[in-house]
């Protein structure tokens, strides 16, 4: 296993756990090296299923358990993989090129779109496969993660805080907030919120 930091986790509907981050030691002057995705199956077996992820961040699994989407923050894109019956990943492809955005935490809605949080650009954006940006929620600080929930799954919750760069990640300043906004489509897939069950 990697001695580098691990970052994000998602559990699919079959009990498979995907963890990202890790990877080789960063080059001098870099904060993160190329990341990996590791699979932990329900029987406890662990294996690497993807590599060379450009600063792996949020991950989500589609409702049919067939596709894993991962935010590659330093590549400004969402990347998709097909999920095999044994949890392995294949057919890596760009799900959405995000231009100048840096995706962090993500979630999927019932229309198959992805919401992603963006720290430096201080917003959350809803994007369709292929890259069309449909909705945007602006904030006055960095958006680190987002999740659909609430009574009917149509509240977008956003974890936000002031961002001062990697060199100042640890601070006594208390700038964190949880924001919420009503949106049109409820959450789907994993991580998931199903009214009355979670």
């Amino acid at each position: 296993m990697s001695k580098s930091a691990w970052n994000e986790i998602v559990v699919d509907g079959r009990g498979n756990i995907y963890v990202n981050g890790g990877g080789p030691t960063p080059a001098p002057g870099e904060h993160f090296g190329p990341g990996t995705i590791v699979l932990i199956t329900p029987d406890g077996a662990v294996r690497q299923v993807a590599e060379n992820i450009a600063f792996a961040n949020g991950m989500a699994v589609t409702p049919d358990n067939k596709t894993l989407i991962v935010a590659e923050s330093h590549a400004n894109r969402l990347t998709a993989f097909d999920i095999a019956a044994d949890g392995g990943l294949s057919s890596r492809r760009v799900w959405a090129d995000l231009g100048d955005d840096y995706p962090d935490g993500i979630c999927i809605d019932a229309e198959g779109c992805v919401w992603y949080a963006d720290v430096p650009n201080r917003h959350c954006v809803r994007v369709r496969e292929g890259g069309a940006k449909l909705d945007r929620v602006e904030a006055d600080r960095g958006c680190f993660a987002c999740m659909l929930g609430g009574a009917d799954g149509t509240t977008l919750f956003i974890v936000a805080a002031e961002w001062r760069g990697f060199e100042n990640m640890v601070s006594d300043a208390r700038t964190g907030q949880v924001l919420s906004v009503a949106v049109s489509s409820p959450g789907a897939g994993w991580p998931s919120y199903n009214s009355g069950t979670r």
Side-chain angles (χ1 to χ4, degrees):
M1 285 294 131
S2 172
K3 294 182 180 178
S4 297
W6 297 95
N7 194 28
E8 299 274 346
I9 183 172
V10 66
V11 181
D12 72 11
R14 297 175 296 184
N16 290 316
I17 303 168
Y18 295 92
V19 184
N20 71 32
T25 302
E30 296 291 326
H31 296 287
F32 298 93
T36 61
I37 300 175
V38 170
L39 167 67
I40 306 168
T41 57
D43 63 3
V46 179
R47 72 181 193 272
Q48 182 175 308
V49 289
E51 62 184 357
N52 295 321
I53 308 292
F55 189 11
N57 250 315
M59 292 187 292
V61 176
T62 55
D64 60 7
N65 286 301
K66 291 184 177 179
T67 306
L68 174 79
I69 301 171
V70 60
E72 290 194 89
S73 296
H74 288 177
N76 311 94
R77 67 184 174 222
L78 299 176
T79 297
F81 295 88
D82 290 345
I83 302 176
D86 68 355
L89 303 180
S90 64
S91 302
R92 181 178 183 160
R93 59 199 178 276
V94 175
W95 194 88
D97 184 331
L98 304 177
D100 294 329
D101 278 2
Y102 298 88
D104 201 317
I106 66 172
C107 61
I108 300 173
D109 71 21
E111 295 178 11
C113 296
V114 169
W115 279 98
Y116 64 86
D118 183 324
V119 176
N121 290 307
R122 300 189 297 184
H123 59 215
C124 288
V125 176
R126 181 176 182 241
V127 63
R128 179 180 292 131
E129 184 174 6
K133 296 177 182 179
L134 307 175
D135 297 292
R136 180 185 315 268
V137 176
E138 302 287 346
D140 66 353
R141 62 200 66 209
C143 297
F144 287 80
C146 56
M147 183 63 199
L148 289 159
D152 60 2
T154 58
T155 300
L156 183 71
F157 293 97
I158 302 166
V159 177
E162 290 181 9
W163 174 246
R164 299 181 181 92
F166 288 108
E167 296 78 10
N168 300 297
M169 285 178 61
V170 179
S171 169
D172 290 333
R174 299 293 181 251
T175 65
Q177 296 180 343
V178 177
L179 311 172
S180 66
V181 62
V183 296
S184 60
S185 183
W190 289 269
S192 129
Y193 172 87
N194 292 322
S195 182
T197 62
R198 294 187 186 184

